Amino acid sequence: MALRRLSVASAALLLCAVPAALAADGGTGVPPAPTVGVASCALQPAWTCARGQLMTLRGENLEAAASLTFLGDASSKDNVVVKLSARASNPTQIRVTVPKRARSGRVRIEGSTGESATTSEAMRVVNNLPATDEASNSKKLIAGGKRRARFSYDATDAAAEGRVEAIRGTDGKVVRSWPIVKSGRGEVVWNGFVGKRPTKSGTYLLRFNSVAASSAKVRKGSDTRFEMLEGFFPIRGKHTLARSAAQLFGGGRGHQGTDHFARCGTPLAAWTSGVVQYNAYQGAAGNYVVVRRSNGESYAYMHMRERSPAKVGTKVFAGQRLGHLSDSGDAQGCHLHIELWTAPGWYKGGRPYDSLPLMKRLDKLS
Ligand SMILES: [Zn+2]
């Protein structure tokens, strides 16, 4: 939900001054105060627009607006006024092109008779449009995967607060940010993690904050808009998810994982990145491998056809081949038995928890 719902309660405009002419009028002719729910530009999160983009400001009682002022910072020196044509506004919206000189800050709406109102939220004015081409839209990356999101740029005389931000498309939230280089070429490479966890699946944008927008230029070929998936479904072929009681967590016999079936020999991949903690054979587990994630949780993949090529102590990325599905050890039918353990991990003091919700989610994603 990118746009917040419009309501009187979310009114963001406050009437700042009632013009003398109207006040003296006995009250009968005072127009109702304009209110604004949200201002936004296509493909951008709410309250964010690029210079040159068409901005839509939605609200109520907006028909009398004669001009808009992009206020920028506290001083009036950077104010940029836009006169509105008669067609630019109607009672519920104002549409205007964001001027090239506009700076981030609140926006003031001025009526023809001198009344004005200012948004409660500041507009983020950025330089770059989010990419809209199909290739860029359909790009899918996996958190912890081999392919990373890359954003490169040229900076001149960067201010200290200039940053590159990773923004979640659904709500416009900045999930991560990186300082931009002072000058010259810089690059941000994002693996889709926020702290020690893969970020939620969804559309993300990489772009400058408003400070950097005026002193840096994004280079061609940068990943400015893409899908980031939180993980990879580990069975890379047709499969059936755990269903019967015996295949589920607990399973009436202290089953510590969940069992998912596929044809013998189906490739098996790490669902997320981590470091290989164990790679061994055991009578019950068969050929198994345990991968430990940076947050201390670990994942055990069991009953593989042969010992995994993934060496203990080495890093694996999401989607890396771990082996093939089989029925080695104590298994009936070729399947993946996958265990999820809380930190500090598998037989290191963590405890197992149900892996089915994660498997269901990943199955839908990849
Ligand atoms: Zn099992």
Side-chain angles (χ1 to χ4, degrees), residues 253 255 258-259 303 335 337:
R253 56 185 168 96
H255 193 215
T258 54
D259 298 337
H303 308 310
H335 71 276
H337 167 111

Side-chain angles (χ1 to χ4, degrees), residues 326-343:
S326 187
D327 56 358
S328 66
D330 182 12
Q332 270 155 23
C334 289
H335 71 276
L336 166 67
H337 167 111
I338 183 165
E339 293 182 8
L340 271 57
W341 286 63
T342 59

Side-chain angles (χ1 to χ4, degrees), residues 256 268 282 284-290 300-304 324-326 328 335-339 341 346-347:
Q256 295 184 323
L268 194 65
Q282 196 253 359
N287 292 306
Y288 72 97
V289 69
V290 179
Y301 305 81
M302 297 182 182
H303 308 310
M304 287 188 290
H324 297 88
L325 221 74
S326 187
S328 66
H335 71 276
L336 166 67
H337 167 111
I338 183 165
E339 293 182 8
W341 286 63
W346 197 72
Y347 293 107

